[in-house]
Amino acid sequence: MKERIERLKKLTYIPQKEIAWLIEQAELSVKQREIIEENKRQQDVTVHQFRQAQKDIQHLSGDRKRYKQALEKIITNLNFAITVAKNELEGDAK
């Protein structure tokens, strides 16, 4: 392709066949540029979605940790209440 372009630069008259080839190459270049731009846009969207997912995971991990701690406190309090109730029942039984 490079050689063909150099050969065309040297011509004073460009044959119809060569003009058609130039037009075809220009159209191809435009299509390739559009594809590259669309791929870049899709890549940007994917990066944004990935970063958002990371933030969501961090947020959910924090929520999970808080819920787990709250649940552990509830279980501890329930175990304590069960122990107190057992002691009272044993005391009433004696």
Side-chain angles (χ1 to χ4, degrees), residues 4 7-8 14 16-19 28-29 38 42 44 52 62 73 76 78 84 87-88 91:
R4 197 166 182 181
R7 186 169 56 90
L8 286 171
I14 301 176
Q16 190 67 30
K17 180 181 171 186
E18 299 299 334
I19 289 174
L28 198 71
S29 176
E38 177 61 19
Q42 289 178 3
D44 290 343
Q52 186 61 45
K73 285 181 184 178
T76 300
L78 285 173
V84 168
N87 290 340
E88 286 179 7

Side-chain angles (χ1 to χ4, degrees), residues 20-38:
W21 179 81
L22 283 173
I23 291 170
E24 183 182 308
Q25 293 304 309
E27 289 172 344
L28 198 71
S29 176
V30 168
K31 287 178 184 176
Q32 287 174 340
R33 189 177 305 118
E34 289 171 352
I35 290 169
I36 289 169
E37 288 172 0
E38 177 61 19

